[in-house]
Amino acid sequence: MQARTTAKTIAGAALGLAMTALLASRPAAAQDKTVTMGAILPLSGLFSTLGPPERDAMQMAVEKINAGGGFAVDGQKYKLALKVLDDESTAATVGIAAFRQLVQVDNVPVLVLADNTRNYASLLQRFPLPLLNILDSTYPSILDVDKHVFLLRSDTPAYVPGAVWYLANVLHKKRIAWIGSAADPYSTGIETWVKKAAAEYGVEIVADVNYPPGTTNFSPFIQTAMAAKPDAIYLGGVTQEVLPVAKQLFQAGIRDLPVFHNSGATPTQAKQIIGEDLYNDVMATNYDFAGTLPETSDNPATKTFYKDFLARYKEYPDDLTMWAYDAPYVLIGAMQKAGSVTDREKIYQAMLTQTVPPETISGWMPADGGKLFHGRDAQTLSEGVRWCTATKTIAPAFLYFMDGLKVTDQKIVENGCGG
Amino acid sequence: MLQQALVNGVVLGALFALLGVGLTLVYGVMDVPNFAQAGVVTLGAYIMVTLHQAAHWPFFLAVAGGVVAAGLISVATERFAYRFVRTRPLAAPAVALGLLLILDNSALELWGGDHVSLTPPYGAGLIQLGGMTVPAVGVALVLTAAVSMLLLWLLLTRTGIGRAIRAVSQNPEAAATLGIELERQYVTAFFISGVLAGLAAFAYAPTYAVFPYMADGVIFDGFVVVILGGLGNVWGAALGGILLGLVESLSAVYVSAAYQTAIGFVVLLLVIVLRPAGLFATTARRVA
């Protein structure tokens, strides 16, 4: 018995050694190296509605890429990894530290950002690398910050004027009250283009109110805006700025005016921020104009993404989740074109001329020669959505593309809510 | 327009008063600028949301739970931090700021950074007063502040607990000589202050949202109120709160919305220069 046990042990050890030797003798190319893309996102703080879905969407893409065997650059196979650091919505301090960690310490070849790009301008000059922003459409454009900045979404002038056009020509409203956030460049950029579009389309801005940072009681601003007797209200800012104002508008009894914004708020976020008992009533008059939504896309790959994301995260994916999902494919495409996973300058040069990666789902409208970036801005159609009280969700109201202040490729959806 | 601005100012002022009274009570007893009160408001609000939405407690029971919890958290700040710097008042502001960071980041760690909502059953209600419209949540805020301050005044003036707190506020050594237990009064003052923070959370959260830094901005208005009213002066804080609310509301409508908060601080500077002891200062120090 003792002898048999010893023999089994020896045989097992020999088998183990043989397996180890076999594994060690695999071709070098089969031992995939890993390329890490860095990202700085607002996972907490004021802009925390933005960061987590972007992280989740990028992670989905990374997992799909790796499940498909990774990607090859210059004959070498690689796996992709994603390292996300939280800037806590304070880019000037926490974000800067995160930049140093990813770019100087971790030495990532490319960096993904979501907001506050101007905070990184001086660091970007000292440590140049391709920087792909998947959200920051403030005005003046962040593309002015540094030549290494790319924007993976349509910039402010590409979607804000369409909202004013819709107000004037579809809802026939001619008196807008603006309520925005004085400290948020996203809000002030929207305000600039609302005013330009209003002048172009014969709409009057009857009230122009910007609340200071840290405001939580908007009643004086709402009162000032309503004193001008507007027939529509335009709110500036991101989801966590816009929805509390919308809530206080409703609580103040303003319940029959259309409320426009460019927040990209999802039904889940509306429910969470406004509250389960109120959100459907508050959102009833809301219109949100930004990028196209996966929910309303005809592209099968986009529809699959929509279903997978919703099933996995129990959260409606919106435009920014599509852009985030596409980011890894864009960066891989650039590295493949550059023939390098480490040379930041080569990857940057490749990004300038790369074509639209076929795996992307956002519906990028290519520039001349099929290039992804128009200069350094990737563009899609824009979409206005309205709230549907029966289903407590959003539905398309308007699809469009802006050529300057001229609306092109427009499609007005009369019955988006289906009833 | 003026009437509506006045009503808005009273609603805003009621919140400032509610925060200011809790701050001035603690300052009166212990000379501590209790910045951590903002963190207590935040944790109280999160506990209410959790009890109501996750544990499915009825709304007002969840609020009661949150208010009591806020009182206990406030006591914990005294027991675990402030009492060690009681004899070193110069260290108190640093401790207070440190506590605020701890409480805010505890909320961030426990509940995450997303905004969530505390919605009362009357959240959509509107009340018409003449030609003015007042949100039900605003009326609730004013009523909460008024009832809280009335009860606090009765507690401080008509009960042995209140007399003991006032005695410690005026002269702790003399109070101790007379047999008043100082430790108990400190704990009691912090508990009351925490309960007021919990009530502020209940009144304030439904108008905006609950998130880890929800009260960090508004607590500075609370301190303006404390200085306007005279340090340690409860009624002064109440009146100072209403005054500041009116100033901010009227200036937003008639001067510039962008300078609403700044104008409040201009008033503060004027008071510090012209009447350093506060608008409602008395010759004797008191917390009632």
Side-chain angles (χ1 to χ4, degrees), chain B residues 157-179:
Chain B
T157 57
R158 305 289 170 86
T159 68
I161 295 170
R163 279 190 289 275
I165 289 175
R166 286 159 54 206
V168 172
S169 166
Q170 289 180 4
N171 191 326
E173 290 80 14
T177 309
L178 292 170

Side-chain angles (χ1 to χ4, degrees), chain B residues 2-15:
Chain B
L2 174 64
Q3 284 178 319
Q4 187 72 54
L6 290 172
V7 168
N8 290 341
V10 169
V11 172
L12 190 58
L15 173 65

